[in-house]
Amino acid sequence: MLVNLTEMLLDAQKNKYAIPAFDISNYEMMKAVLDSCEAEKSPALLLGLGVDLSQKNLSLMAGMVKMASEHYSIPICFQLDHATDIEFIKQAINAGFSSVMFDGSKLPFDENAKKTAEVVKFAHSYGVTVEAELGHVGNAMVGDESSSISNEDPENTLTVPEEVTKFIEIADVDALAVAIGTSHGVYKKTPSLRIDRLNDITAICNKPLVLHGGSGTPNDQMIDAIKNGITKINIFSDVVEALNTGLKNKLNSITNIATWPAYVFEESRVLMRKVITNKIRTFGSNNRI
Ligand SMILES: [Zn+2]
């Protein structure tokens, strides 16, 4: 069953757990997430990034998830991740995404709020939910070598609590991504989450809160963040690492390079499911269905 974010995150908020949200780039990643979630009785939150959704890929990926959702007994949400172009968001909604993230975090406050409000108005008319970002989660996106080293001082880009109330008055979003010290990609040094800042935000905001850059963040810090109001944690690099490690091991171990692809992906599947299952159990989204 394909659903939007609301029901999933409100239950997570009420019962103080978080749902891991996994960016998927292909069928193997989708299958690993859905199989793990079904085995663990966890809601499944799938994310798609623009780089994997160009041209026909947008409809093909949306169609693939929609078709898959008819073969699993768990609720599944497919959210467009980090979209900055409103036209592209509209295309994704028309293609069948059940949730979208508008990322105006690099824009001035007023412009971010105004554009997010426009997305909310459009998306809600289709029953599609919207996540926005306030503050800015640093950049070291996988696949983008040029931005793998962030020069931003995280302290300068943390979410400012006073802005949250004003933002939500303008843009009535369904979930809000906050910057409290995590980064996208692979960390150069262990992050230290600002739980004090998170508490300042939850004291004035009742929207489900989202943590980006979950990969590589120590479990105890994420558990602390969940206790203090985080309901969705985005994961990409950890699963990509498992996928690629499995492929590397398998390809290095075979002599016949024309080996059947189903066999080549075998180890990747096992490693990805291990990572995904670990996140589900750590965040407490297992046994919720
Ligand atoms: Zn992110």
Side-chain angles (χ1 to χ4, degrees):
M1 180 188 18
L2 200 60
V3 301
N4 66 27
L5 268 187
T6 298
E7 208 176 307
M8 279 188 192
L9 295 194
L10 290 183
D11 190 69
Q13 189 179 41
K14 194 172 134 204
N15 295 301
K16 295 230 178 249
Y17 65 94
I19 302 171
F22 299 99
D23 286 289
I24 55 161
S25 297
N26 59 24
Y27 171 81
E28 293 290 348
M29 294 174 84
M30 174 193 77
K31 184 96 182 347
V33 175
L34 296 181
D35 286 347
S36 307
C37 286
E38 186 152 80
E40 292 296 314
K41 298 189 173 61
S42 167
L45 236 169
L46 302 168
L47 308 172
L49 284 161
V51 68
D52 294 318
L53 302 170
S54 61
Q55 298 175 359
K56 281 194 179 66
N57 290 331
L58 182 71
S59 297
L60 291 175
M61 291 282 278
M64 178 176 77
V65 174
K66 190 168 188 327
M67 177 62 75
S69 72
E70 292 166 17
H71 296 270
Y72 287 83
S73 57
I74 48 173
I76 298 168
C77 174
F78 193 24
Q79 185 182 47
L80 178 64
D81 199 15
H82 285 290
T84 52
D85 177 358
I86 294 181
E87 277 315 303
F88 186 62
I89 288 177
K90 290 180 178 175
Q91 286 170 23
I93 290 170
N94 287 326
F97 279 74
S98 58
S99 191
V100 294
M101 178 204 186
F102 174 69
D103 181 358
S105 65
K106 282 189 172 169
L107 302 172
F109 176 89
D110 288 337
E111 202 182 339
N112 184 6
K114 191 170 151 259
K115 286 194 166 165
T116 302
E118 188 186 333
V119 172
V120 168
K121 194 173 168 207
F122 183 83
H124 282 184
S125 71
Y126 287 84
V128 169
T129 43
V130 179
E131 175 183 329
E133 180 169 323
L134 195 56
H136 179 65
V137 177
N139 249 341
M141 293 295 286
V142 170
D144 184 1
E145 295 293 331
S146 63
S147 66
S148 63
I149 298 169
S150 173
N151 293 320
E152 290 161 339
D153 178 357
E155 190 67 26
N156 297 335
T157 54
L158 294 178
T159 304
V160 177
E162 293 72 37
E163 289 187 350
V164 172
T165 318
K166 203 176 148 203
F167 187 85
I168 287 167
E169 270 170 24
I170 301 168
D172 189 22
V173 293
D174 304 286
L176 186 68
V178 291
I180 55 167
T182 51
S183 266
H184 291 110
V186 178
Y187 287 107
K188 305 269 182 241
K189 73 176 204 269
T190 311
S192 180
L193 296 195
R194 290 285 304 274
I195 301 295
D196 58 327
R197 182 63 64 102
L198 178 60
N199 278 325
D200 291 345
I201 297 165
T202 44
I204 53 163
C205 170
N206 61 4
K207 296 285 179 189
L209 300 179
V210 180
L211 189 68
H212 283 242
S215 289
T217 305
N219 278 350
D220 60 333
Q221 293 197 37
M222 287 195 285
I223 291 166
D224 212 5
I226 294 165
K227 278 185 196 151
N228 288 284
I230 293 291
T231 59
K232 166 178 178 274
I233 302 182
N234 287 17
I235 306 285
F236 186 32
S237 301
D238 284 350
V239 178
V240 171
E241 223 171 85
L243 170 71
N244 291 343
T245 302
L247 281 179
K248 197 174 175 184
N249 290 347
K250 193 60 106 177
L251 289 171
N252 281 337
S253 73
I254 58 173
T255 46
N256 176 13
I257 202 66
T259 297
W260 202 274
Y263 174 72
V264 172
F265 277 100
E266 247 174 19
E267 189 173 335
S268 292
R269 282 189 204 109
V270 173
L271 294 179
M272 283 194 288
R273 284 199 57 175
K274 206 170 153 190
V275 168
I276 293 161
T277 303
N278 180 274
K279 301 294 177 197
I280 291 170
R281 291 180 185 173
T282 304
F283 302 168
S285 69
N286 50 328
N287 298 320
R288 302 289 177 176
I289 308 297

